[in-house]
Amino acid sequence: METNNENQLAYAMPRIGEAAPEFKAVTTQGDINFPSDYKGSWVILFSHPADFTPVCTSEFMTFASMEDQFAEANTKLVGLSVDGLYSHIAWLRTIKEKIEYRGMKNVEVKFPLIEDITMEVAKKYGMMMPGESNTKAVRAVFIIDPKGTIRTIIYYPLSLGRNFDELYRAVVALQAADAFGVATPADWRPGDDVIISPAGSCGTAQDRMEGKEEGLECKDWFFCTKKISKEEVLKKVLKK
Ligand code: BEZ
């Protein structure tokens, strides 16, 4: 029986701003060394509860259909469940050969799907949540930057399929925030105004309020926005 301390270690959770925990794994696309094989790319590491389940199937079809879109944003996808490699291969083949869903068919999942029967990786990344399930990973999403730092973590329970437009929006918003040194407000999309944080890195709050900082529009000392056109974002982030 595990002690409390061992239990805590067994269910460790990495945090935003920390280095992505390292692991080696067998996947449907061969062996990987994570995150070093992904250096220089953004990567979404995500878990799903089980192969041959309907919500997961709808998610994989959606994610696979968006793989080129994510690639344009220099973002690679890596899936994981606590199933074995042959189950993964059989499930992905069935999806391609038999499943038609919301206009998607013959969907080939080309990104790697990790086998994690031992739950080693799932436990390292806090994907096992015993309150939800002892035997299945929850729907965890880790967005990791090109230096291997965890930038966003999102968790969904077993019954709730993810919104993949939101994951794409989050990747582009993180990249835009890095590229322009800004923050992005609620529901931001390329072309919307961005937020300039109040930390006095460029000028004083007084300067801002008096309109002395070019391009800023301030509603109060703590709420200043700036325009960055959709074209600028697409050029810098998506190299379009
Ligand atoms: C599903 O993907 O459909 C699913 C998986 C585990 C529990 C409930 C639903």
Side-chain angles (χ1 to χ4, degrees):
M1 174 126 162
E2 287 173 321
T3 65
N4 260 351
N5 199 21
E6 281 166 345
N7 209 15
Q8 274 168 5
L9 285 175
Y11 296 102
M13 290 177 73
R15 293 176 169 82
I16 290 174
E18 292 178 355
E22 294 176 0
F23 62 85
K24 289 183 178 163
V26 173
T27 85
T28 49
Q29 303 291 329
D31 295 354
I32 59 169
N33 263 310
F34 197 90
S36 57
D37 287 353
Y38 293 87
K39 219 171 181 184
S41 294
W42 288 75
V43 51
I44 300 183
L45 173 68
F46 69 101
S47 56
H48 70 278
D51 298 344
F52 292 101
T53 52
V55 178
C56 301
T57 298
S58 70
E59 290 193 320
F60 265 68
M61 293 181 76
T62 308
F63 229 172
S65 304
M66 293 172 75
E67 198 177 356
D68 290 347
Q69 193 182 335
F70 278 99
E72 280 184 2
N74 187 28
T75 303
K76 295 181 172 158
L77 312 176
V78 180
L80 175 150
S81 79
V82 300
D83 298 293
L85 186 62
Y86 294 108
S87 164
H88 285 343
I89 292 169
W91 178 46
L92 298 185
R93 189 190 301 142
T94 307
I95 288 176
K96 181 170 174 355
E97 290 175 358
K98 293 199 181 150
I99 310 293
E100 188 171 344
Y101 172 69
R102 294 181 96 180
M104 296 177 277
K105 62 177 184 180
N106 296 119
V107 174
E108 193 170 344
V109 175
K110 296 183 191 139
F111 57 80
L113 175 49
I114 294 169
E115 80 155 0
D116 190 29
I117 315 175
T118 61
M119 302 187 188
E120 189 189 326
V121 181
K123 286 183 176 173
K124 222 176 212 185
Y125 271 81
M127 293 164 170
M128 300 307 297
M129 299 206 174
E132 180 75 347
S133 170
N134 278 316
T135 55
K136 294 176 171 62
V138 295
R139 300 180 198 280
V141 179
F142 290 83
I143 304 180
I144 297 163
D145 74 15
K147 291 184 182 150
T149 302
I150 297 173
R151 300 290 300 274
T152 298
I153 304 175
I154 311 173
Y155 286 104
Y156 292 70
L158 301 190
S159 63
L160 179 59
R162 285 163 276 211
N163 181 320
F164 291 91
D165 287 334
E166 167 58 7
L167 300 187
Y168 180 73
R169 190 195 74 86
V171 162
V172 173
L174 287 166
Q175 294 187 23
D178 285 0
F180 295 99
V182 298
T184 52
D187 297 331
W188 180 87
R189 297 214 173 247
D192 293 345
D193 292 354
V194 296
I195 300 276
I196 306 300
S197 73
S201 55
C202 46
T204 63
Q206 189 68 25
D207 286 347
R208 288 183 171 185
M209 287 307 293
E210 288 171 3
K212 288 183 186 158
E213 278 186 44
E214 210 181 317
L216 285 197
E217 191 187 322
C218 293
K219 306 290 180 205
D220 205 329
W221 63 270
F222 68 94
F223 196 93
C224 296
T225 60
K226 185 178 157 183
K227 297 208 175 306
I228 298 181
S229 70
K230 186 172 179 175
E231 290 68 35
E232 280 177 277
V233 174
L234 297 187
K235 198 168 159 198
K236 206 150 186 180
V237 173
L238 302 179
K239 316 283 185 252
K240 279 189 173 173

